[in-house]
């Protein structure tokens, strides 16, 4: 009986871990040069939002950063981010993956 | 009517043209239009000219609604189209009585392209230099008549001529302020025996963030205080191949204004006040030009 419960707990634990792993969302911090007014910030949001898998964009004009959160299982590569930022009229200085956020199921 | 000088109209037309590529209110600069994006600007203009040194006691008023659409073809290339609706009215003494001549209608369409030739971005700042080149098409009516006959060219909504314009605009933008400057030239051609004088302009704009004083997180709206200067040199008009001695000259405007800037739209208003007017002959002088409008990002 004891072994049964041990195995059950172990299996449940593995299942929960795998669910968490699948629910992990990739996030990125983009440092964007040239971002200096609210009206200009619209373009960068629009361009990044057009990328497949992007769930949320948070622009912080004071620090010149854009946080991009992807949908579950999606990722963003630097070349794609760079092209979007460039098309919006700015320059990508730094591309940093940040600690993935996890969703509680 | 020969004494009438269309400087005010030319100035009004310049302002109309000027709104197209601008962050400033009275002229244009490197307004960012992202690749595939559009900017729509709508501006109401009221231009009053009644400082007359002739016995005709002229009073010229131009009000207009100017629609501008910009499209970002690539990151560096943007195309703009501008179409005004104008209401022009001239009151003057003639033969012992007050005479009014006026017309309203769609004006000339201006199309031009802008190329960002130089761009330097650092955190929170950008510097851009962009030449532009365009053409004004004679889409406005230029043969309107009233009971006194054909209206003088400056009162027609359109000029009847294909004209060229070009120049260069530079912008230095930071989170706290923005400086824009523009050098432009309009080369006008003859239509109906009349040619508006060519126009050279040197413009400068300073926009300072009044609010919020301290930037918070996210993308807060900005309230800019704006001070602009417009130096306008207009050559003499030509009527029937002869220079009109009572036309053209140099005017310097100072233009205070306000802009409320958000991510999606901008509200703005300003007034151009002529501080120096060195005009030829008895050219009609400007009182002020008021403009207000909005811009929307797509």
């Amino acid at each position: 009986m004891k072994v049964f419960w041990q195995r059950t707990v172990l299996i449940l634990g593995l299942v929960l871990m795998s669910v968490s792993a699948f629910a992990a969302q990739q996030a990125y911090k983009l440092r964007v040069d040239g971002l200096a007014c609210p009206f200009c910030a619209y373009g960068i949001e629009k361009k990044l939002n057009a990328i497949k898998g992007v769930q949320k964009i948070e622009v912080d004009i004071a620090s010149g950063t854009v946080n991009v959160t992807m949908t579950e299982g999606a990722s963003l590569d630097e070349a794609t981010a760079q092209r979007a930022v460039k098309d919006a009229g700015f320059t990508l200085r730094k591309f940093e993956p940040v600690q993935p956020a996890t969703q509680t199921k | 009517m020969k004494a009438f000088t269309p400087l005010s109209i030319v100035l009004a037309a310049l302002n109309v043209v000027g709104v197209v590529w601008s962050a400033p209110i009275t002229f244009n600069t490197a307004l960012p239009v992202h690749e595939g994006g559009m900017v729509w600007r709508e501006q109401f203009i009221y231009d009053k000219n009644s400082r007359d040194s002739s016995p005709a006691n002229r009073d010229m008023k131009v009000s207009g609604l100017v629609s501008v659409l910009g499209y970002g073809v690539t990151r560096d290339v943007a195309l703009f189209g501008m179409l005004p609706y104008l209401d022009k009215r001239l009151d003057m003494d003639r033969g012992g009585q007050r005479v009014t001549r006026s017309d309203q209608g769609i004006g000339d369409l201006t199309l031009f392209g802008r190329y960002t030739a130089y761009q330097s971005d650092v955190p929170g700042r950008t510097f851009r230099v962009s030449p532009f080149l365009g053409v004004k098409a004679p889409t406005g009516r230029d043969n309107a008549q009233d009971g006194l006959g054909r209206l003088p060219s400056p009162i027609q909504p359109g000029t009847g001529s294909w004209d060229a314009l070009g120049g260069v605009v530079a912008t230095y933008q930071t989170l706290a302020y923005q400086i824009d400057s523009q050098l432009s030239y309009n080369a006008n051609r003859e239509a109906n025996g009349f040619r508006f004088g060519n126009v050279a302009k040197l413009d400068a704009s300073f926009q300072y963030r009044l609010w919020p004083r301290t930037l918070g997180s996210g993308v807060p709206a900005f309230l800019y205080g704006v001070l602009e200067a417009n130096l306008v040199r207009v050559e003499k008009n030509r009527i029937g191949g002869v220079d009109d001695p009572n036309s053209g000259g140099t005017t310097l405007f100072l233009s205070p204004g306000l802009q409320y800037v958000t991510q999606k739209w901008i509200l703005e208003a300003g007034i151009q006040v002529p501080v120096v007017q060195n005009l030829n002959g008895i050219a009609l002088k400007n009182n002020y030009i008021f403009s207000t409008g909005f811009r929307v990002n797509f």
Side-chain angles (χ1 to χ4, degrees):
Chain A
M1 196 62 182
K2 188 179 177 183
V3 173
F4 170 78
W5 283 113
Q6 280 177 339
R7 286 180 180 171
T8 304
V9 168
L10 181 63
I11 289 166
L12 279 171
L14 287 170
V15 168
L16 283 172
M17 280 175 65
S18 65
V19 167
S20 292
F22 278 119
Q25 291 178 283
Q26 294 293 323
Y28 304 87
K29 178 181 271 191
L30 280 54
R31 295 191 181 276
V32 178
D33 284 357
L35 197 55
C37 89
F39 200 64
C40 320
Y42 177 78
I44 205 162
E45 275 200 10
K46 187 176 162 188
K47 283 293 172 190
L48 288 169
N49 262 320
I51 297 172
K52 192 177 177 185
V54 168
Q55 185 180 62
K56 191 167 74 170
I57 305 286
E58 292 171 297
V59 179
D60 185 57
I61 199 170
S63 61
T65 56
V66 181
N67 293 314
V68 182
T69 305
M70 308 300 289
T71 54
E72 290 173 25
S75 63
L76 179 66
D77 63 83
E78 185 168 354
T80 303
Q82 191 159 34
R83 191 165 53 249
V85 170
K86 187 178 177 184
D87 286 346
F90 303 100
T91 304
L92 182 65
R93 171 178 285 265
K94 202 170 178 183
F95 178 84
E96 299 173 286
V98 295
Q99 192 65 30
T102 55
Q103 276 191 348
T104 307
K105 289 271 176 179
Chain B
M1 279 311 294
K2 275 205 166 185
F4 172 71
T5 299
L7 175 63
S8 59
I9 307 304
V10 175
L11 291 176
L14 279 173
N15 280 290
V16 162
V17 171
V19 299
V20 185
W21 57 101
S22 105
I25 299 169
T26 64
F27 73 98
N28 295 291
T29 183
L31 172 69
V33 187
H34 60 272
E35 186 267 333
M38 296 185 86
V39 171
W40 170 40
R41 186 176 194 178
E42 202 69 33
Q43 196 166 40
F44 170 78
I45 292 173
Y46 182 75
D47 179 0
K48 181 169 174 60
N49 307 265
S50 63
R51 296 162 69 183
D52 190 6
S53 56
S54 81
N57 194 23
R58 293 164 296 172
D59 183 1
M60 177 83 187
K61 294 185 270 291
V62 179
S63 50
L65 197 60
V66 185
S67 304
V68 180
L69 209 56
Y71 175 70
V73 180
T74 69
R75 174 202 176 158
D76 298 321
V77 177
L79 296 178
F80 296 86
M82 183 277 295
L83 191 66
Y85 182 89
L86 299 169
D87 184 342
K88 300 181 174 183
R89 178 190 171 106
L90 171 67
D91 297 295
M92 62 186 295
D93 295 337
R94 183 175 176 177
Q97 56 184 330
R98 197 72 176 158
V99 174
T100 298
R101 308 194 76 180
S102 65
D103 197 23
Q104 309 82 34
I106 291 171
D108 289 344
L109 173 70
T110 300
L111 297 169
F112 69 92
R114 185 193 69 201
Y115 174 67
T116 303
Y118 177 80
Q119 178 171 347
S120 173
D121 293 336
V122 295
R125 291 165 192 254
T126 185
F127 176 64
R128 301 170 190 214
V129 179
S130 310
F132 55 87
L133 196 62
V135 65
K136 185 186 67 54
T139 55
R141 181 171 55 236
D142 64 333
N143 58 357
Q145 302 201 5
D146 62 9
L148 297 173
R150 184 182 178 277
L151 292 172
S153 294
I155 305 176
Q156 305 279 353
T159 61
S161 61
W162 287 87
D163 305 322
L165 63 114
V168 63
V169 59
T171 292
Y172 179 68
Q173 186 181 55
T174 75
L175 288 165
Y177 65 89
Q178 179 171 337
I179 297 170
D180 305 278
S181 62
Q182 175 184 275
L183 186 63
S184 68
Y185 192 79
N186 287 50
N188 297 323
R189 299 176 70 218
E190 184 179 318
N192 306 308
F194 186 97
R195 198 195 79 181
F196 285 97
N198 294 341
V199 182
K201 286 186 76 187
L202 177 62
D203 303 293
S205 174
F206 179 69
Q207 299 137 68
Y208 182 75
R209 176 163 52 82
L210 300 172
W211 180 87
R213 293 305 309 139
T214 305
L215 281 182
S217 60
V219 186
F222 285 8
L223 178 67
Y224 280 125
V226 182
L227 183 61
E228 301 182 0
N230 320 100
L231 181 63
V232 184
R233 170 71 187 165
V234 183
E235 293 174 11
K236 289 175 181 167
N237 301 325
R238 287 180 74 83
I239 303 171
V242 179
D243 281 352
D244 177 2
N246 297 308
S247 66
T250 303
T251 303
L252 174 64
F253 292 96
L254 280 184
S255 317
L258 283 173
Q259 282 182 327
Y260 185 74
V261 182
T262 75
Q263 256 185 294
K264 184 75 180 164
W265 49 267
I266 293 177
L267 290 178
E268 57 195 358
I271 186 163
Q272 288 181 270
V273 181
V275 290
V276 176
Q277 288 193 86
N278 184 16
L279 306 185
N280 298 319
I282 53 170
L284 186 59
K285 291 183 177 176
N286 180 264
N287 297 61
Y288 62 86
I289 304 168
F290 171 76
S291 59
T292 185
F294 64 85
R295 265 179 269 171
V296 182
N297 252 330
F298 293 99

